[in-house]
Amino acid sequence: MAKNTLQSTLPVIERSLEFFRPHHLELRKRLITVFLTIIVFTGIAYFFAEKIAAFFISPLFAASPLVYKLVYTNLPEAFLAFIKLALMVGLIASMPVVLYQLWIFIAPGLRKNEKKLAVIIVFWATLLFSGGACFAFFVALPRMLVYFMSYAGPGLEPLPKLGLYLTFIARTILAFGIAFEIPFLMVMAGKANFVTAAYFRRKRIYFYMAIVVLSFLLTAGDFVATGLMAIPLFLLYEAGIFLSGLFNRKKVSGTPA
């Protein structure tokens, strides 16, 4: 009996594998493209690692006169710090390609007008990510560094380590950039029929609370930086609701009765 059950189950499994095979191959193709893009941008970033590091270090020197150099406490630390920095910059620079590959995988079989829409959405997603990264580096980070360096004094000398500092800067910029993708993610979720704009409106208070908690954690408990991050995210969330509803209405009106 068990043999008969197994024989009857095998065709179902085979059909399931055949059904998912195109999706598996498509996902593999998209992931390979993403990984190759990240590797290429990481290699380019490593070539300019010293200049990039100097650019990232400049806000720290401006935050406090007590800090004029960074230190490293073991021999390979500087080398590994530049590798990590190059990888972070490679991830940030690769974000437009990552977003495009994600969109193409989630929305297969696009029509000609939908392909144009995909390009527009990826453009705005890239613009939002760039805006978040610039906001982090030029607005939030200087204030955060000033706050962190305010604890330094005659009895407490700051000795920031090169590797930890560069990792902190790169992660913060990446976190802000991803956080500013909220409208893009909301529109994409609506286009994929996961949720609707009405759902985001009903759950607004919970998402606001999540934004505040996330902002507090990403800014290491600095209330000024938390506000600097949370307020734009509130506005972006509302923009995401509007855009999600707008694109959903277009999709519904274009669907034949």
Side-chain angles (χ1 to χ4, degrees):
M1 183 175 181
K3 184 177 180 180
N4 294 333
T5 303
L6 180 60
Q7 290 178 346
S8 61
T9 305
L10 284 176
V12 177
I13 297 176
E14 290 176 356
R15 287 196 299 270
S16 300
L17 291 175
E18 287 297 325
F19 175 79
F20 286 108
R21 184 178 296 277
H23 300 284
H24 173 265
L25 296 176
E26 181 70 13
L27 177 61
R28 180 174 176 269
K29 176 183 176 182
R30 300 302 169 192
L31 289 177
I32 290 175
T33 302
V34 168
F35 285 136
L36 289 177
T37 304
I38 293 174
I39 290 173
V40 170
F41 279 110
T42 298
I44 296 173
Y46 183 76
F47 185 77
F48 298 99
E50 291 188 14
K51 294 182 179 179
I52 296 173
F55 179 70
F56 281 178
I57 292 171
S58 59
L60 178 63
F61 291 165
S64 173
L66 298 176
V67 179
Y68 57 92
K69 64 180 179 180
L70 278 73
V71 300
Y72 64 96
T73 55
N74 58 70
L75 293 180
E77 182 177 349
F79 169 73
L80 294 176
F82 286 152
I83 291 289
K84 292 179 181 179
L85 177 64
L87 180 58
M88 285 292 182
V89 173
L91 287 172
I92 293 173
S94 304
M95 193 55 63
V97 178
V98 173
L99 293 173
Y100 181 77
Q101 296 299 322
L102 178 63
W103 175 263
I104 292 299
F105 178 73
I106 291 179
L110 296 176
R111 301 184 185 91
K112 187 175 181 180
N113 62 325
E114 291 175 327
K115 290 181 180 179
K116 293 180 180 179
L117 177 62
V119 174
I120 294 173
I121 289 179
V122 171
F123 168 77
W124 282 107
T126 304
L127 190 64
L128 285 170
F129 183 88
S130 302
C134 291
F135 183 86
F137 188 80
F138 294 107
V139 179
L141 274 172
R143 293 177 179 270
M144 292 169 62
L145 292 173
V146 169
Y147 173 78
F148 293 146
M149 296 308 301
S150 66
Y151 290 95
L156 187 60
E157 181 182 4
L159 292 174
K161 296 181 64 176
L162 174 67
L164 294 178
Y165 173 78
L166 292 179
T167 300
F168 166 74
I169 294 295
R171 284 179 178 174
T172 303
I173 292 175
L174 188 62
F176 270 80
I178 294 175
F180 271 57
E181 293 293 332
I182 287 178
F184 170 77
L185 296 175
M186 293 169 69
V187 171
M188 190 168 62
K191 292 290 289 184
N193 295 321
F194 292 147
V195 292
T196 63
Y199 173 83
F200 291 121
R201 292 191 191 97
R202 291 196 306 269
K203 304 296 183 179
R204 178 185 281 113
I205 184 64
Y206 301 107
F207 281 103
Y208 273 28
M209 292 170 61
I211 286 173
V212 172
V213 173
L214 177 64
S215 301
F216 184 80
L217 294 176
L218 290 177
T219 55
D222 181 8
F223 291 102
V224 175
T226 298
L228 287 172
M229 186 174 189
I231 292 175
L233 292 184
F234 291 154
L235 299 176
L236 289 170
Y237 182 81
E238 295 299 330
I241 292 177
F242 172 76
L243 293 175
S244 181
L246 180 65
F247 282 115
N248 282 337
R249 282 200 298 272
K250 285 185 177 181
K251 183 173 63 175
V252 171
S253 62
T255 303

